[in-house]
Amino acid sequence: MFNYTIRRLLFAIPTLFVISFLIFAILDLAPNDPTGNLPLTIPPEVRENIRISLGLGEPFPIRYLKWCQQFFINEPLNLIEQWFDISIGDSENRLRVQSWATRSPVVDLIVERLPQTLWVLGLSYVIGILIAIPIGVISAYKQYSIFDQIGTFISMVGFSVPTFFTGLVCIVFFSSTLGWFPSIYDTTHEVTDLASFWFQVKQMIMPVMVLALFNASQLSRFMRASMLDNLSQDYVRTARAKGLKERSVLLIHVLRNSLIPVVTVIALGLPQIFAGAIITEQIFRVNGLGQLLIIGIQGADIPLVQTLTFIFAVLIVLFNLIADILYGMLDPRIRYE
Amino acid sequence: MTVREPAGRQSSQQVVLEVNDLKTTFNTRDGQVHAVNNVSFSLSTGELLGVVGESGSGKSVTMMSLLKLLPSPPAEVVADSILYEGRDVLSMGDEELRELRGGGIGFIFQDPMTSLNPVFTVGYQLTEAIRQHLPISKKEARARAAELLAKVGIAQPVERLRDFPHQFSGGMRQRVMIAMSLACEPKVLIADEPTTALDVTIQAQILELVRDLRRDQGMGIIWITHDLGVVAGIADRVIVMYGGQIVEHAPVKELFNNPQHPYTKALLATMPSIDASRSERLYSIEGQPPSLSGAPTRCSFAPRCEYAFDRCLEENPPIVSMDNNHQAACWLRHPQYTAQGSQHPPEEISLRETF
Ligand SMILES: Nc1ncnc2c1ncn2[C@@H]1O[C@H](COP(=O)(O)OP(=O)(O)O)[C@@H](O)[C@H]1O
Ligand code: SF4
Ligand SMILES: [Mg+2]
């Protein structure tokens, strides 16, 4: 298993380089001009100088290699320096991936936005899982019961209706009509006492629940199907014939087997929720990574978009690996050599 | 109808299991399946009852119905009574039923490859069964589990407790299943084609083990198989099933020497005999297995029976008792046709082409 993991990690390196190159190349081909948003009174020579100062004067391969150096060497070094409060080499003059729009390092922007995204997304995913698993288990065990029918219907709806719609409906209903929750997420809000904590809970409820229900409706379907698969297996009959309680049969024997594919799907789905965040954060005005990406795209802030897209790609590759490893850990029949 | 006590029973033997008029129906989307119809039999301590019949004749469903192991829906089990030591299984509460499963009646299932849970170690699955019925510590249960594995002929039992089912071969898994079913020394063991997946030497070992269990623990055993040779070797009594019904029921010698039902005769004819020359082709029973979509309204063997006559198509023959503890369900053996001065059975007519 250890060797397998190392090998997979080594394989991931060339994969990620190819991905980074493709992202860089595609964004480079896109027609854009970082000076396009500047006032028209600025003369062309000045514009040209700005472009050169942004590093656009050089040919494509050089720019790509420079980006690689900045992203893969300089940024990690910088992070290490910050964490351990040391300085390695000439840290003052080390070039970092700079945002064109804000002129601050892209990684700093991301680090600044990350907590909001992680809180909202992470919480919604965890809540989604906690809702989905019991519903899936009961739906399968009581197949075709009223509970199952209602559950199936709700998850069908929850899965088919996109979050930007449910999100808007929630805002209209709970914020505008009832006035229970704020419609704009205040990122600068700090929790200091019970009242401010309550405010934090109120502003998080809608985005978290909209995403959580969406995730839950997908996962509970999956959980149900997996449980049904296993409930009809012969080993379930053996467990009953041993005289086990129905609860043990279901929650030990069947659930343990059913979770194998579900856990894999949960791991594979994690990077996807970042994609989902792009929409949800926009609707609930959560100042997170998704919104950062949208701003970057609108402002033709190529380095920012490149870096964010690449980080998403890294997450996908990483969680694919994690899913495979989890599968191997949960299923004793799988042996990775 | 009543079941006569079987032959050759000593006074120390007592009935542990008695089934009266068992019917099992599956309500499926494509209609009903009458898998078991009017099955009655009994089993005594230390006795080995063989059950034979072609695939689909309802052997497994009968036995699983006894322990209510069939999920309902679709299965529906009704019976006059299913008595284990005089207590009716059908009216048992959950607690009592769980005590019976594994504690009173051990079950070995047909397919060793799928009957063990793939994600738990064999040790876990064995100790789980033991601790369900015996109030002993985990450590003691593990020791007992190792003992059981040794008993069924698995080498290095203590080490193998840590292995998962997929690390065992088919034969070894069946031994694990057998060990599991014996874990709590049940009074009755139901073995559903336990040796089908095994090669001959292992089969012989397991039969030896079963013989010991009967002798030492007085275990009553129901042995389902389609291997008549095995039945001839180990059974005291034999039940022959066809189309979800018992068509013949007799002590083993009596059955082999004096079969009464045409289906049994045909089955015996399919048995390869040692002195048969190689060129001699195996006799096989022609025709399709019966449809089970309704309760039987005629003899279910009639379409394949060479002796069928008109009565066979009009009414399902009841099982009747004859001399030597012999029972058969065939109109040819019915007192209406066999008693002195009764009407003679009509000429045999071949109805095969009418179906
Ligand atoms: N769950 C089920 N639903 C419908 N029919 C079933 C089900 N289980 C068994 N049967 C039917 O019951 C009949 C008897 O099956 P079984 O007892 O397994 O035969 P065997 O004698 O080979 O053990 C078969 O015709 C089978 O199709
Ligand atoms: S009852 Fe008739 S059809 Fe059925 S086995 Fe006897 S002779 Fe054959
Ligand atoms: Mg069977």
Short mmCIF file of all heavy atoms in Angstrom, two decimals, chain A residues 144 234-235 237-238 240-245 252-253 256-257 260 330 332-333, chain B residues 29 64 98 101-102 109 114-115 117-119 124-125 128-129 132-133 164 166:
data_model
loop_
_atom_site.label_atom_id
_atom_site.label_comp_id
_atom_site.label_asym_id
_atom_site.label_seq_id
_atom_site.Cartn_x
_atom_site.Cartn_y
_atom_site.Cartn_z
N TYR A 144 -39.58 1.04 -0.53
CA TYR A 144 -40.97 1.28 -0.98
C TYR A 144 -41.90 1.70 0.15
O TYR A 144 -43.11 1.77 -0.02
CB TYR A 144 -41.57 0.07 -1.70
CG TYR A 144 -40.75 -0.40 -2.86
CD1 TYR A 144 -40.42 -1.73 -3.02
CD2 TYR A 144 -40.27 0.51 -3.81
CE1 TYR A 144 -39.64 -2.16 -4.08
CE2 TYR A 144 -39.49 0.10 -4.87
CZ TYR A 144 -39.18 -1.23 -5.00
OH TYR A 144 -38.41 -1.64 -6.05
N ASP A 234 -25.86 -12.98 0.12
CA ASP A 234 -25.99 -14.18 0.94
C ASP A 234 -25.45 -14.00 2.35
O ASP A 234 -25.96 -14.60 3.29
CB ASP A 234 -25.22 -15.34 0.27
CG ASP A 234 -25.95 -15.86 -0.95
OD1 ASP A 234 -27.11 -15.46 -1.15
OD2 ASP A 234 -25.37 -16.65 -1.71
N TYR A 235 -24.39 -13.18 2.49
CA TYR A 235 -23.80 -13.08 3.83
C TYR A 235 -24.77 -12.45 4.83
O TYR A 235 -24.64 -12.65 6.04
CB TYR A 235 -22.47 -12.32 3.78
CG TYR A 235 -22.59 -10.85 3.51
CD1 TYR A 235 -22.99 -9.97 4.51
CD2 TYR A 235 -22.29 -10.31 2.26
CE1 TYR A 235 -23.10 -8.62 4.27
CE2 TYR A 235 -22.41 -8.96 2.01
CZ TYR A 235 -22.82 -8.13 3.03
OH TYR A 235 -22.94 -6.80 2.78
N ARG A 237 -27.95 -13.17 5.01
CA ARG A 237 -28.72 -14.31 5.49
C ARG A 237 -27.90 -15.10 6.52
O ARG A 237 -28.43 -15.52 7.56
CB ARG A 237 -29.07 -15.20 4.30
CG ARG A 237 -30.18 -16.17 4.56
CD ARG A 237 -30.48 -16.95 3.30
NE ARG A 237 -29.26 -17.55 2.78
CZ ARG A 237 -29.08 -17.91 1.51
NH1 ARG A 237 -30.04 -17.75 0.64
NH2 ARG A 237 -27.95 -18.45 1.12
N THR A 238 -26.61 -15.27 6.23
CA THR A 238 -25.75 -15.96 7.20
C THR A 238 -25.76 -15.24 8.53
O THR A 238 -25.87 -15.86 9.59
CB THR A 238 -24.31 -16.03 6.67
OG1 THR A 238 -24.33 -16.53 5.34
CG2 THR A 238 -23.45 -16.92 7.54
N ARG A 240 -28.04 -13.36 9.77
CA ARG A 240 -29.32 -13.58 10.45
C ARG A 240 -29.40 -14.99 11.02
O ARG A 240 -29.90 -15.20 12.12
CB ARG A 240 -30.49 -13.36 9.48
CG ARG A 240 -30.65 -11.92 9.09
CD ARG A 240 -32.06 -11.63 8.57
NE ARG A 240 -32.20 -10.22 8.30
CZ ARG A 240 -32.29 -9.70 7.08
NH1 ARG A 240 -32.31 -10.48 6.01
NH2 ARG A 240 -32.40 -8.40 6.92
N ALA A 241 -28.88 -15.95 10.26
CA ALA A 241 -28.95 -17.35 10.70
C ALA A 241 -28.10 -17.59 11.93
O ALA A 241 -28.29 -18.58 12.63
CB ALA A 241 -28.52 -18.29 9.57
N LYS A 242 -27.14 -16.69 12.19
CA LYS A 242 -26.33 -16.81 13.41
C LYS A 242 -27.12 -16.38 14.63
O LYS A 242 -26.69 -16.59 15.74
CB LYS A 242 -25.10 -15.91 13.31
CG LYS A 242 -24.03 -16.42 12.40
CD LYS A 242 -22.71 -15.73 12.71
CE LYS A 242 -22.46 -14.59 11.78
NZ LYS A 242 -21.07 -14.08 11.87
N GLY A 243 -28.24 -15.70 14.39
CA GLY A 243 -29.05 -15.21 15.51
C GLY A 243 -28.75 -13.78 15.88
O GLY A 243 -29.10 -13.33 16.96
N LEU A 244 -28.06 -13.04 14.98
CA LEU A 244 -27.75 -11.64 15.29
C LEU A 244 -29.01 -10.80 15.32
O LEU A 244 -29.98 -11.08 14.63
CB LEU A 244 -26.81 -11.06 14.24
CG LEU A 244 -25.42 -11.67 14.12
CD1 LEU A 244 -24.58 -10.82 13.19
CD2 LEU A 244 -24.76 -11.76 15.48
N LYS A 245 -28.95 -9.72 16.12
CA LYS A 245 -30.05 -8.76 16.14
C LYS A 245 -30.12 -8.09 14.78
O LYS A 245 -29.10 -7.87 14.13
CB LYS A 245 -29.78 -7.69 17.20
CG LYS A 245 -29.94 -8.18 18.61
CD LYS A 245 -30.10 -6.96 19.53
CE LYS A 245 -30.20 -7.37 20.97
NZ LYS A 245 -28.90 -7.80 21.52
N ILE A 252 -23.82 -3.33 11.23
CA ILE A 252 -22.45 -3.85 11.20
C ILE A 252 -22.18 -4.48 9.84
O ILE A 252 -21.33 -4.04 9.09
CB ILE A 252 -22.20 -4.85 12.34
CG1 ILE A 252 -22.34 -4.14 13.69
CG2 ILE A 252 -20.79 -5.45 12.20
CD1 ILE A 252 -22.20 -5.03 14.90
N HIS A 253 -22.97 -5.51 9.51
CA HIS A 253 -22.63 -6.28 8.31
C HIS A 253 -22.95 -5.53 7.03
O HIS A 253 -22.11 -5.41 6.14
CB HIS A 253 -23.35 -7.64 8.35
CG HIS A 253 -22.70 -8.59 9.30
ND1 HIS A 253 -21.81 -9.55 8.89
CD2 HIS A 253 -22.80 -8.72 10.64
CE1 HIS A 253 -21.39 -10.23 9.94
NE2 HIS A 253 -21.98 -9.75 11.02
N ARG A 256 -21.24 -1.70 6.77
CA ARG A 256 -19.79 -1.71 6.58
C ARG A 256 -19.45 -1.97 5.10
O ARG A 256 -18.56 -1.34 4.54
CB ARG A 256 -19.18 -2.78 7.48
CG ARG A 256 -17.71 -3.00 7.32
CD ARG A 256 -16.90 -1.77 7.69
NE ARG A 256 -15.48 -2.06 7.59
CZ ARG A 256 -14.84 -2.26 6.47
NH1 ARG A 256 -15.49 -2.17 5.33
NH2 ARG A 256 -13.56 -2.55 6.44
N ASN A 257 -20.20 -2.87 4.49
CA ASN A 257 -19.95 -3.15 3.07
C ASN A 257 -20.45 -2.02 2.17
O ASN A 257 -19.81 -1.68 1.19
CB ASN A 257 -20.65 -4.45 2.66
CG ASN A 257 -19.83 -5.67 3.01
OD1 ASN A 257 -18.89 -6.03 2.31
ND2 ASN A 257 -20.14 -6.29 4.13
N ILE A 260 -18.23 1.19 1.48
CA ILE A 260 -17.02 1.17 0.65
C ILE A 260 -17.17 2.07 -0.58
O ILE A 260 -16.39 3.01 -0.76
CB ILE A 260 -16.64 -0.28 0.26
CG1 ILE A 260 -16.29 -1.08 1.50
CG2 ILE A 260 -15.46 -0.28 -0.71
CD1 ILE A 260 -16.10 -2.56 1.25
N LEU A 330 -10.56 0.10 2.93
CA LEU A 330 -11.86 -0.38 3.40
C LEU A 330 -12.19 -1.78 2.90
O LEU A 330 -12.94 -2.50 3.53
CB LEU A 330 -12.97 0.58 2.95
CG LEU A 330 -12.99 1.93 3.65
CD1 LEU A 330 -14.01 2.84 3.01
CD2 LEU A 330 -13.30 1.73 5.13
N PRO A 332 -10.86 -5.35 2.17
CA PRO A 332 -9.69 -6.22 2.33
C PRO A 332 -9.37 -7.04 1.09
O PRO A 332 -8.27 -7.58 0.99
CB PRO A 332 -10.09 -7.12 3.51
CG PRO A 332 -11.56 -7.04 3.58
CD PRO A 332 -11.95 -5.69 3.08
N ARG A 333 -10.33 -7.13 0.17
CA ARG A 333 -10.05 -7.92 -1.04
C ARG A 333 -9.12 -7.20 -2.00
O ARG A 333 -8.50 -7.81 -2.85
CB ARG A 333 -11.36 -8.25 -1.77
CG ARG A 333 -12.17 -9.31 -1.08
CD ARG A 333 -13.59 -9.28 -1.57
NE ARG A 333 -14.26 -8.03 -1.22
CZ ARG A 333 -15.54 -7.78 -1.43
NH1 ARG A 333 -16.28 -8.69 -2.03
NH2 ARG A 333 -16.07 -6.65 -1.07
N ARG B 29 -43.36 -9.70 -8.74
CA ARG B 29 -44.01 -8.85 -9.73
C ARG B 29 -44.66 -9.66 -10.84
O ARG B 29 -45.66 -9.26 -11.41
CB ARG B 29 -42.99 -7.91 -10.37
CG ARG B 29 -42.71 -6.73 -9.50
CD ARG B 29 -41.54 -5.98 -10.03
NE ARG B 29 -41.03 -5.10 -8.98
CZ ARG B 29 -40.66 -3.86 -9.19
NH1 ARG B 29 -40.70 -3.34 -10.39
NH2 ARG B 29 -40.22 -3.12 -8.20
N MET B 64 -35.15 -22.78 4.73
CA MET B 64 -35.06 -21.38 5.18
C MET B 64 -36.38 -20.91 5.79
O MET B 64 -36.38 -20.06 6.68
CB MET B 64 -34.66 -20.49 4.02
CG MET B 64 -33.19 -20.64 3.68
SD MET B 64 -32.78 -19.49 2.40
CE MET B 64 -31.83 -20.49 1.31
N ARG B 98 -34.23 -15.50 17.61
CA ARG B 98 -32.78 -15.32 17.48
C ARG B 98 -32.03 -16.36 18.29
O ARG B 98 -30.95 -16.80 17.91
CB ARG B 98 -32.40 -13.92 17.96
CG ARG B 98 -32.70 -12.84 16.95
CD ARG B 98 -31.75 -11.69 17.14
NE ARG B 98 -31.65 -11.29 18.53
CZ ARG B 98 -32.48 -10.42 19.12
NH1 ARG B 98 -33.42 -9.87 18.42
NH2 ARG B 98 -32.33 -10.12 20.38
N ARG B 101 -32.08 -19.44 16.10
CA ARG B 101 -31.15 -19.35 14.98
C ARG B 101 -29.72 -19.42 15.50
O ARG B 101 -29.29 -18.56 16.26
CB ARG B 101 -31.32 -18.02 14.25
CG ARG B 101 -32.61 -17.86 13.51
CD ARG B 101 -32.69 -16.44 13.01
NE ARG B 101 -33.86 -16.21 12.17
CZ ARG B 101 -34.20 -15.00 11.75
NH1 ARG B 101 -33.47 -13.95 12.07
NH2 ARG B 101 -35.26 -14.85 10.97
N GLY B 102 -29.01 -20.42 15.11
CA GLY B 102 -27.63 -20.54 15.56
C GLY B 102 -27.50 -21.24 16.89
O GLY B 102 -26.58 -22.01 17.11
N PHE B 109 -25.08 -22.91 4.55
CA PHE B 109 -25.71 -22.51 3.29
C PHE B 109 -25.00 -23.11 2.09
O PHE B 109 -23.85 -23.54 2.15
CB PHE B 109 -25.78 -20.99 3.18
CG PHE B 109 -26.71 -20.40 4.16
CD1 PHE B 109 -26.24 -19.84 5.34
CD2 PHE B 109 -28.08 -20.44 3.96
CE1 PHE B 109 -27.11 -19.30 6.27
CE2 PHE B 109 -28.95 -19.92 4.88
CZ PHE B 109 -28.47 -19.35 6.03
N THR B 114 -20.18 -16.91 -1.27
CA THR B 114 -20.86 -15.65 -0.98
C THR B 114 -21.47 -15.60 0.41
O THR B 114 -22.03 -14.59 0.79
CB THR B 114 -21.99 -15.42 -2.00
OG1 THR B 114 -22.86 -16.54 -1.96
CG2 THR B 114 -21.45 -15.25 -3.40
N SER B 115 -21.38 -16.70 1.15
CA SER B 115 -22.10 -16.74 2.42
C SER B 115 -21.35 -16.13 3.58
O SER B 115 -21.89 -15.98 4.66
CB SER B 115 -22.48 -18.18 2.76
OG SER B 115 -23.47 -18.63 1.86
N ASN B 117 -19.17 -12.80 5.08
CA ASN B 117 -19.03 -11.37 4.84
C ASN B 117 -17.58 -11.05 4.44
O ASN B 117 -16.66 -11.34 5.18
CB ASN B 117 -19.41 -10.60 6.10
CG ASN B 117 -19.60 -9.13 5.83
OD1 ASN B 117 -18.91 -8.55 5.01
ND2 ASN B 117 -20.55 -8.52 6.51
N PRO B 118 -17.40 -10.45 3.25
CA PRO B 118 -16.03 -10.27 2.73
C PRO B 118 -15.17 -9.30 3.52
O PRO B 118 -13.95 -9.36 3.41
CB PRO B 118 -16.26 -9.74 1.31
CG PRO B 118 -17.63 -9.17 1.32
CD PRO B 118 -18.41 -10.00 2.29
N VAL B 119 -15.76 -8.41 4.31
CA VAL B 119 -14.94 -7.37 4.93
C VAL B 119 -14.60 -7.65 6.40
O VAL B 119 -13.91 -6.86 7.03
CB VAL B 119 -15.58 -5.97 4.82
CG1 VAL B 119 -15.82 -5.60 3.38
CG2 VAL B 119 -16.86 -5.90 5.62
N TYR B 124 -13.49 -12.84 13.42
CA TYR B 124 -14.57 -11.96 13.87
C TYR B 124 -15.92 -12.63 13.66
O TYR B 124 -16.78 -12.63 14.55
CB TYR B 124 -14.51 -10.63 13.10
CG TYR B 124 -15.66 -9.71 13.44
CD1 TYR B 124 -15.58 -8.83 14.51
CD2 TYR B 124 -16.85 -9.73 12.70
CE1 TYR B 124 -16.63 -8.00 14.83
CE2 TYR B 124 -17.90 -8.91 13.02
CZ TYR B 124 -17.79 -8.05 14.09
OH TYR B 124 -18.84 -7.24 14.41
N GLN B 125 -16.11 -13.20 12.48
CA GLN B 125 -17.42 -13.78 12.16
C GLN B 125 -17.72 -15.00 13.02
O GLN B 125 -18.88 -15.25 13.36
CB GLN B 125 -17.51 -14.10 10.67
CG GLN B 125 -17.40 -12.84 9.83
CD GLN B 125 -17.63 -13.08 8.34
OE1 GLN B 125 -18.65 -13.57 7.93
NE2 GLN B 125 -16.65 -12.70 7.53
N GLU B 128 -18.32 -13.74 16.72
CA GLU B 128 -19.62 -13.08 16.75
C GLU B 128 -20.74 -14.11 16.94
O GLU B 128 -21.65 -13.93 17.75
CB GLU B 128 -19.82 -12.34 15.43
CG GLU B 128 -21.02 -11.43 15.38
CD GLU B 128 -21.21 -10.85 14.00
OE1 GLU B 128 -20.91 -11.54 13.00
OE2 GLU B 128 -21.65 -9.69 13.91
N ALA B 129 -20.64 -15.22 16.19
CA ALA B 129 -21.66 -16.26 16.31
C ALA B 129 -21.61 -16.90 17.69
O ALA B 129 -22.65 -17.16 18.30
CB ALA B 129 -21.44 -17.32 15.23
N GLN B 132 -22.89 -14.58 20.49
CA GLN B 132 -24.32 -14.31 20.41
C GLN B 132 -25.10 -15.25 21.32
O GLN B 132 -26.15 -14.90 21.83
CB GLN B 132 -24.76 -14.47 18.95
CG GLN B 132 -26.18 -14.09 18.67
CD GLN B 132 -26.38 -12.60 18.88
OE1 GLN B 132 -25.48 -11.79 18.66
NE2 GLN B 132 -27.57 -12.23 19.35
N HIS B 133 -24.57 -16.46 21.50
CA HIS B 133 -25.34 -17.46 22.24
C HIS B 133 -24.70 -17.92 23.54
O HIS B 133 -25.37 -18.47 24.39
CB HIS B 133 -25.60 -18.67 21.35
CG HIS B 133 -26.37 -18.35 20.11
ND1 HIS B 133 -27.72 -18.12 20.13
CD2 HIS B 133 -25.99 -18.16 18.84
CE1 HIS B 133 -28.14 -17.82 18.92
NE2 HIS B 133 -27.10 -17.84 18.11
N PHE B 164 -9.09 -13.03 6.05
CA PHE B 164 -10.39 -12.69 5.50
C PHE B 164 -10.90 -13.84 4.63
O PHE B 164 -10.09 -14.62 4.13
CB PHE B 164 -10.29 -11.41 4.67
CG PHE B 164 -10.08 -10.18 5.50
CD1 PHE B 164 -8.81 -9.70 5.74
CD2 PHE B 164 -11.17 -9.53 6.05
CE1 PHE B 164 -8.62 -8.58 6.53
CE2 PHE B 164 -10.99 -8.40 6.83
CZ PHE B 164 -9.71 -7.92 7.08
N HIS B 166 -11.71 -14.12 1.61
CA HIS B 166 -11.13 -14.30 0.27
C HIS B 166 -9.77 -14.98 0.31
O HIS B 166 -9.26 -15.40 -0.72
CB HIS B 166 -11.04 -12.96 -0.47
CG HIS B 166 -9.97 -12.06 0.07
ND1 HIS B 166 -10.20 -11.16 1.06
CD2 HIS B 166 -8.67 -11.95 -0.25
CE1 HIS B 166 -9.08 -10.51 1.34
NE2 HIS B 166 -8.13 -10.97 0.55
#
